[in-house]
Amino acid sequence: MRLWRKLTIGTAAGFILAGAVIFALDTADRVFPPPLERTGAVSAEVLDADGQLLRAFATLEGRWRLKTTVADVDPQFMRMLIAYEDRRFYEHHGIDPLAIGRAGLQLVTNGRIVSGASTLSMQVARLIEPRTGRSLSAKILQVIRAVQIERRLSKKEILDLYLTHAPYGGNLEGVRAASLAYFGKEPKRLTVAQAALLVALPQLPERRRPDRNLAAAEAARKRVLKRAAVAEAIGEGEAERAEATLVPATRMQLPVLAAHLAEAALRSKPNEREHRTTLKKQIQAGLEATAKSAAMNLRPKLSLAMVMADARTGEIVGEVGSADYFDASRSGWIDMTRVSRSPGSTLKPFIYGLAFEQGLVSQETIIEDRPADFFGYRPRNFDMSYQGDVTVREALQLSLNVPAVRLLDAVNPARLLVRFRRAGVRPILPPNEAPGLAIGLGGVGITLKDLVQLYTALANKGEPVRIGDGVTAKPGKIDGEPLLEPVAVWNVSDILSSVIPPAGAPQRGIAYKTGTSYGYRDAWSVGYDGRYVLGVWVGRPDNGAVPGSTGYGTAAPILFEAFAKSSIATTPLPRPPSGAVRIAQADLPVSQRRFSINASGLLSTSSREQAPQIVYPPEGAHVDLGARSGDLSPLMLKLQGGRAPFRWLANGKPLPDLSRRRINQWMPDGGGYSKLTVIDAMGRAASVGVFID
């Protein structure tokens, strides 16, 4: 026994002497420095806008090693870790003489190793410079390195290294990776039972892996709880309650959200550790859950894509590039949000918006849905039937093709494309073709991302925003003229918000439009409330036909389910702007009661031979412009017919400038009755009386 005691004392003295020698040498010449640069690369992480983990990438050697700091971990875990592994961590300088003495005494008393004397600093030394075997020389090297590490790093930095590199079995390293794998959550908030398991595993990570040896994991956790209770690192009775909690027997997959966007982020800056996106994790998870359930009901080879954007900021808050990134049968690796396809009828709202803006029609204007020939182009409705006379409101809600083409012919396809360019979107025309009437029925190519960008203007009172790419491209407002005027936007949204939802879908207070491309190749649905725009595409990545797949029957149910699962509260659509009213057909000006084209191909409501007519405001209308509050807004003036230029008069006083447009504005001096008059180039005049409220 005396021999054992002498050996123990000699060993401890040897450790202390070695530490003193290396301390002196390290102080003098910094010889034999610790290989801190060998700490190893950490996993690249893709984060959402709030810093939550969307996806992590394994290191080159295939390890999940997530950067972790003390601030990333539950304080309860830190207390239990120090109580179990190194009670005097904040007092010693790399080695703990009392622990060495205790370990030696236990060795002498029991004839075997009962407890170790490794400090957390020594364990970090072993992690950055792994030993090949258990030997006295290896232990002495740990002591030396621990002293060196303590001299170079703060206590917090040492803990950060441990938390990042501690082994947890298999290819898991660090507390964050282990917490995500076994508990499915970040270690910021842990239960006592969870914290105890994470403290226990690094000692013998392979033997104690709960997914391989559940009994060993439970026993190790019990020892940690017992010591933590003795050290008063946990409250009274908490150890017993934690012991009753089941140890997880399976290992979960680390987050793999936003697969396509995460890959793009990594490609853009491959050497960065963190990649911040504009996505919102809760919304992204909801969209992916929707895509997963929808894919189960889709035919083979079909994929789907979704983009949700904030119409106010332009930030992409959710994006799904395919039904399943790892499903080769659906070409899941192709990001279909960036592929140009035919948009079907989804561009029709912008045609109607232009017609409203130019004063050609109102919601209750009658328009014909009958066979028509536009210089050889003969559009037909989707179901091959015709409705006859319908209102403009009904024509848009039913997505009738002939009325849409009639209006596009009147507003001019080239003008429509000019408006799209205002929103930063340039649809792809067929090679060597000028803009034609087929645009209204999907005769251009556009990506889902660009389609959503167009619709942000409808959710944002006509002001488009650039939605960026979620990673590098900066979103934001597009300077310049609006895509459509607010009154026109309100008319479109008022109509689309009353479209009946798909069977079984709840009414969420959103406006939406569907589209089906020629040959059933693409099914679309785009919806928006007062804040968010969501676009859905369903089809085959190889552009093959999918008979029976339609925007309303296939894409719209996914749209409503995605809105529900995104867990965002519905924001009401914008309030009607000044001058926005829904006028009954009987109260419309004669020129707006019916939209038709005469034998010469000219609009009968806007022929140059017709005298000017004031379309808005109507005779005797009460228009709320904020006169009562003292914050007056301008009044929109619209006319049909007549010959430019036009001179407007308000209460007998001419407005400053002549105008060649049939749309103008007048700022009243105050509330009350006013008389508005317009005179065209031929001296013909029209007048209306209105009340400004």
Side-chain angles (χ1 to χ4, degrees):
M1 185 64 68
R2 291 180 180 177
L3 178 61
W4 281 107
R5 187 175 290 110
K6 289 180 180 180
L7 287 174
T8 301
I9 295 172
T11 301
F15 280 133
I16 296 171
L17 179 61
V21 171
I22 198 64
F23 180 85
L25 292 174
D26 199 44
T27 300
D29 300 312
R30 292 273 174 168
V31 297
F32 192 48
L36 293 174
E37 73 282 354
R38 294 185 195 171
T39 52
V42 294
S43 297
E45 299 178 35
V46 179
L47 311 176
D48 80 343
D50 300 318
Q52 297 187 76
L53 181 66
L54 294 172
R55 185 181 180 186
F57 291 86
T59 62
L60 292 178
E61 63 269 27
R63 297 188 177 277
W64 297 109
R65 185 187 297 132
L66 306 182
K67 175 68 176 177
T68 312
T69 67
V70 173
D72 298 324
V73 181
D74 193 321
Q76 178 76 292
F77 169 84
M78 297 306 305
R79 290 193 294 270
M80 294 174 68
L81 173 68
I82 292 173
Y84 188 75
E85 292 284 1
D86 192 353
R87 293 183 63 181
R88 283 172 288 277
F89 172 72
Y90 289 105
E91 301 167 13
H92 63 66
H93 298 286
I95 56 176
D96 185 353
L98 293 178
I100 294 174
R102 184 202 67 235
L105 181 60
Q106 289 174 338
L107 175 64
V108 171
T109 304
N110 298 278
R112 60 183 177 85
I113 297 176
V114 175
S115 64
S118 291
T119 62
L120 286 171
S121 304
M122 292 170 64
Q123 293 183 49
V124 168
R126 186 175 71 248
L127 292 173
I128 66 174
E129 197 171 19
R131 64 193 183 200
T132 56
R134 298 172 65 90
S135 64
L136 182 60
S137 61
K139 182 62 69 173
I140 291 175
L141 178 61
Q142 277 185 39
V143 170
I144 294 171
R145 292 305 193 203
V147 173
Q148 290 179 311
I149 290 171
E150 287 271 351
R151 298 195 66 240
R152 286 164 170 79
L153 303 178
S154 67
K155 291 291 187 179
K156 177 186 176 301
E157 290 172 328
I158 294 171
L159 289 175
D160 290 348
L161 281 175
Y162 178 86
L163 296 174
T164 300
H165 295 275
Y168 279 89
N171 62 349
L172 293 178
E173 290 189 9
V175 174
R176 283 185 63 207
S179 182
L180 289 165
Y182 290 121
F183 311 131
K185 67 178 186 180
E186 294 278 358
K188 192 74 174 179
R189 292 185 178 180
L190 298 169
T191 66
V192 171
Q194 291 169 343
L197 182 64
L198 294 179
V199 169
L201 294 182
Q203 292 183 355
L204 295 169
E206 294 301 330
R207 295 183 189 177
R208 295 176 178 177
R209 283 181 58 175
D211 59 328
R212 297 281 183 86
N213 195 337
L214 188 60
E218 290 177 340
R221 185 185 69 173
K222 185 175 182 179
R223 285 193 291 273
V224 172
L225 289 169
K226 183 178 180 180
R227 188 176 299 179
V230 170
E232 297 183 353
I234 57 178
E236 185 178 353
E238 288 190 275
E240 291 76 11
R241 289 191 292 271
E243 284 184 29
T245 304
L246 295 177
V247 171
T250 57
R251 172 175 159 175
M252 291 178 275
Q253 186 181 42
L254 267 65
V256 286
L257 295 172
H260 294 89
L261 193 140
E263 293 280 0
L266 196 64
R267 287 194 301 270
S268 66
K269 296 180 180 179
N271 297 322
E272 288 195 6
R273 183 182 70 82
E274 284 189 354
H275 303 267
R276 187 66 67 98
T277 70
T278 61
L279 302 183
K280 296 285 189 178
K281 185 173 184 178
Q282 185 180 27
I283 294 176
Q284 182 67 26
L287 297 188
E288 294 199 18
T290 302
K292 184 176 181 180
S293 63
M296 298 174 64
N297 299 319
L298 294 178
R299 303 177 198 176
K301 299 185 179 180
L302 258 66
S303 189
L304 65 87
M306 289 185 275
V307 173
M308 179 178 274
D310 187 326
R312 299 178 186 174
T313 65
E315 295 176 339
I316 293 179
V317 295
E319 179 178 300
V320 178
S322 66
D324 186 344
Y325 183 83
F326 301 101
D327 189 344
S329 69
R330 302 181 191 272
S331 301
W333 64 86
I334 300 177
D335 184 357
M336 295 305 299
T337 67
R338 306 298 201 265
V339 178
S340 181
R341 304 297 281 264
S342 167
S345 298
T346 56
L347 299 181
K348 287 179 181 176
F350 304 97
I351 299 173
Y352 283 81
L354 269 178
F356 286 130
E357 183 178 296
Q358 294 179 22
L360 301 179
V361 295
S362 292
Q363 290 194 36
E364 298 303 320
T365 299
I366 297 298
I367 190 168
E368 292 184 2
D369 179 38
R370 293 183 176 87
D373 188 329
F374 298 87
F375 303 99
Y377 179 56
R378 300 179 178 88
R380 293 178 295 181
N381 286 326
F382 185 77
D383 60 1
M384 300 300 179
S385 65
Y386 298 92
Q387 303 293 319
D389 285 352
V390 294
T391 65
V392 164
R393 181 181 180 85
E394 292 169 335
L396 179 53
Q397 288 182 336
L398 297 174
S399 195
L400 301 177
N401 288 343
V402 176
V405 174
R406 291 186 189 278
L407 292 177
L408 181 58
D409 187 39
V411 302
N412 193 325
R415 184 173 295 170
L416 181 66
L417 290 184
V418 169
R419 293 304 179 95
F420 289 164
R421 286 197 288 272
R422 287 185 185 180
V425 174
R426 294 178 178 269
I428 301 174
L429 291 168
N432 304 317
E433 286 193 19
L437 297 178
I439 292 175
L441 307 184
V444 291
I446 193 171
T447 66
L448 178 60
K449 173 181 169 292
D450 282 346
L451 188 62
V452 169
Q453 183 160 313
L454 284 178
Y455 271 77
T456 60
L458 298 183
N460 204 33
K461 301 179 182 179
E463 298 291 340
V465 293
R466 182 174 292 104
I467 66 175
D469 62 3
V471 183
T472 56
K474 297 296 183 182
K477 184 179 179 181
I478 298 176
D479 294 330
E481 297 182 83
L483 176 61
L484 292 169
E485 293 179 352
V487 173
V489 170
W490 177 83
N491 275 293
V492 170
S493 298
D494 185 54
I495 294 172
L496 296 182
S497 62
S498 299
V499 177
I500 299 173
Q507 177 58 264
R508 289 186 55 85
I510 65 173
Y512 81 105
K513 182 72 183 73
T514 61
T516 307
S517 67
Y518 179 77
Y520 296 96
R521 286 177 169 82
D522 309 276
W524 304 81
S525 186
V526 188
Y528 59 95
D529 60 10
R531 180 70 182 270
Y532 295 101
V533 179
L534 173 62
V536 176
W537 169 88
V538 180
R540 287 179 53 157
D542 62 4
N543 205 28
V546 189
S549 178
T550 66
Y552 187 79
T554 305
I558 298 174
L559 176 85
F560 277 80
E561 183 182 354
F563 258 115
K565 287 188 176 179
S566 64
S567 301
I568 55 174
T570 301
T571 302
L573 290 165
R575 295 174 59 85
S578 173
V581 291
R582 191 192 302 172
I583 304 174
Q585 187 179 12
D587 298 328
L588 289 173
V590 175
S591 61
Q592 272 203 333
R593 292 180 183 176
R594 186 177 192 91
F595 177 87
S596 61
I597 297 178
N598 62 24
S600 302
L602 297 174
L603 285 173
S604 63
T605 57
S606 59
S607 169
R608 292 186 179 183
E609 301 304 320
Q610 185 181 12
Q613 291 182 315
I614 297 176
V615 175
Y616 187 85
E619 175 65 36
H622 285 260
V623 185
D624 184 4
L625 297 179
R628 296 176 182 175
S629 64
D631 186 16
L632 276 170
S633 300
L635 175 65
M636 188 69 63
L637 308 174
K638 297 183 181 180
L639 64 88
Q640 285 184 348
R643 180 174 297 179
F646 304 102
R647 168 68 72 184
W648 284 91
L649 298 92
N651 298 319
K653 297 180 180 179
L655 300 191
D657 301 311
L658 287 172
S659 173
R660 304 195 65 86
R661 300 180 63 199
R662 287 177 167 78
I663 301 174
N664 211 327
Q665 287 185 341
W666 167 61
M667 177 62 79
D669 296 328
Y673 177 82
S674 291
K675 186 174 183 179
L676 301 170
T677 303
V678 65
I679 304 173
D680 75 350
M682 298 178 66
R684 295 173 295 188
S687 299
V688 295
V690 296
F691 294 88
I692 306 301
D693 296 330

